[in-house]
Amino acid sequence: MKKFIMLAGMMLACVSGFAQMQPGLFSITPKMGVNVATMSNSGKTNSRMAFAAGVDFEYQINRQFAFGLGTIYSQQGVEDDPWTLKTDYLTLPLTAFYYPVRGLGIYVGVEPAILLRNKAEIFYGQHSEVAELPKVNEVTETYINEYGLTYEGIFDKSLGAKRGVVSLPIGINYEFDHCVFGIKYSIGLGNAISGPGVSCTHNVFQISLGYRFNVFGDIKKVEYKREKKDEQKGVNN
C-alpha cells in the first residue's frame, strides 16, 4: 500500500506540459515501481508483489525512434503458502522505442538479468526461517517433523536458481511534464528455477514512475527552429 501511495504522489507532482522528443537528446530517467511476479510451470502458486527501482538511459535518434538501456533492481519470485520464494535480480534491459505521437513511447527489447538473491522464506504459526536454494527441501522436512506442517507444492524437491536469465520486455511509456509513467510485461525466455522434474521461468508485470532529465542535446536550437517555423506559418496564414 505504501508503494502505491508513493507512486500516486509522484504522479500528482506532474501537473502540466507534454514531452516533445527531440533528435539527438540523451536522457536519464530514475524510476521506481511495483512488480507482480509469477512463474510458469510452478503449480498453484500465487504471484509475488514486490519492488523495482533503477535508472533508464535513452538516446533519441529522431522524433519517432530511440534506443534505451536500463539498470534495474527487480524483486521477483512467487508465494506458495507457507513459503515465499524471493529471487531478486539486477536487470539490464536493452530496448528500441517507437513514438507514434508526442509523449507516448512503445518499446520492445531483450532483458538480461543477474541473480542477486535466491532465498525461500517459510512462515508457520509463530515460526519462520529463511533458506537458500537448494536447501529448501531440508527446511521443509524439519518443519513437517517439528511443527506438523502438511505441505505440498513447488518446493517439494530440491531446486536451483540460475545465476543469469533472459527475458523479453514489452511495454508502453507515457511522459507528461518530464514524468514518465510506464507499464511493462517481461516474458521469461529460459529456465530460471530448475530441479528434478521442475522447470520454471519468470514472468513479471511492472508498473513504474520516473522523472526524465535531459542530459545533452541542442534543445535550444531545436526549440528556436520550431518557434521560427510556427511564426512563418502564422505570417503565411
Side-chain angles (χ1 to χ4, degrees), residues 228-237:
K228 285 297 183 182
K229 188 175 181 180
D230 292 340
E231 289 178 2
Q232 188 63 37
K233 285 183 179 180
V235 172
N236 293 335
N237 291 335

Side-chain angles (χ1 to χ4, degrees), residues 147-168:
Y147 307 114
L149 174 65
T150 56
Y151 171 67
E152 199 173 315
I154 187 175
F155 302 112
D156 284 346
K157 301 176 181 178
S158 297
L159 304 176
K162 289 189 175 181
R163 294 294 176 183
V165 295
V166 178
S167 300
L168 173 69

Side-chain angles (χ1 to χ4, degrees), residues 15-47:
V15 291
S16 64
F18 288 94
Q20 177 64 53
M21 309 312 297
Q22 303 297 350
L25 287 183
F26 176 77
S27 63
I28 297 177
T29 306
K31 68 179 185 179
M32 60 181 296
V34 175
N35 285 344
V36 180
T38 59
M39 293 179 64
S40 63
N41 304 319
S42 60
K44 297 180 180 180
T45 58
N46 298 315
S47 59

Side-chain angles (χ1 to χ4, degrees), residues 47-215:
S47 59
R48 181 193 178 200
M49 184 170 291
F51 178 73
V55 60
D56 286 332
F57 306 91
E58 187 175 332
Y59 179 75
Q60 197 71 30
I61 301 173
N62 53 42
R63 290 184 182 272
Q64 289 188 307
F65 295 97
F67 284 118
L69 169 66
T71 304
I72 311 296
Y73 171 68
S74 178
Q75 296 180 337
Q76 300 176 23
V78 289
E79 294 185 0
D80 193 11
D81 188 44
W83 281 102
T84 298
L85 176 63
K86 298 180 178 181
T87 49
D88 301 342
Y89 294 87
L90 177 66
T91 64
L92 304 168
L94 300 168
T95 51
F97 284 85
Y98 171 64
Y99 289 89
V101 296
R102 185 174 62 179
L104 180 65
I106 303 169
Y107 65 89
V108 66
V110 61
E111 188 174 72
I114 302 170
L115 182 67
L116 299 179
R117 179 170 71 163
N118 60 330
K119 292 185 178 181
E121 189 170 8
I122 187 172
F123 288 97
Y124 188 69
Q126 296 180 347
H127 307 283
S128 66
E129 187 167 341
V130 176
E132 287 194 11
L133 302 179
K135 296 181 180 179
V136 173
N137 202 35
E138 298 175 9
V139 177
T140 302
E141 292 175 358
T142 300
Y143 269 64
I144 289 175
N145 295 332
E146 295 185 7
Y147 307 114
L149 174 65
T150 56
Y151 171 67
E152 199 173 315
I154 187 175
F155 302 112
D156 284 346
K157 301 176 181 178
S158 297
L159 304 176
K162 289 189 175 181
R163 294 294 176 183
V165 295
V166 178
S167 300
L168 173 69
I170 302 172
I172 297 175
N173 283 349
Y174 180 73
E175 184 174 352
F176 187 75
D177 196 22
H178 293 278
C179 291
V180 181
F181 176 74
I183 297 176
K184 179 178 73 171
Y185 187 68
S186 296
I187 305 168
L189 299 180
N191 296 335
I193 305 293
S194 60
V198 177
S199 179
C200 305
T201 60
H202 289 298
N203 297 308
V204 182
F205 176 77
Q206 183 182 103
I207 299 175
S208 64
L209 189 65
Y211 190 88
R212 184 192 297 270
F213 296 93
N214 293 323
V215 179

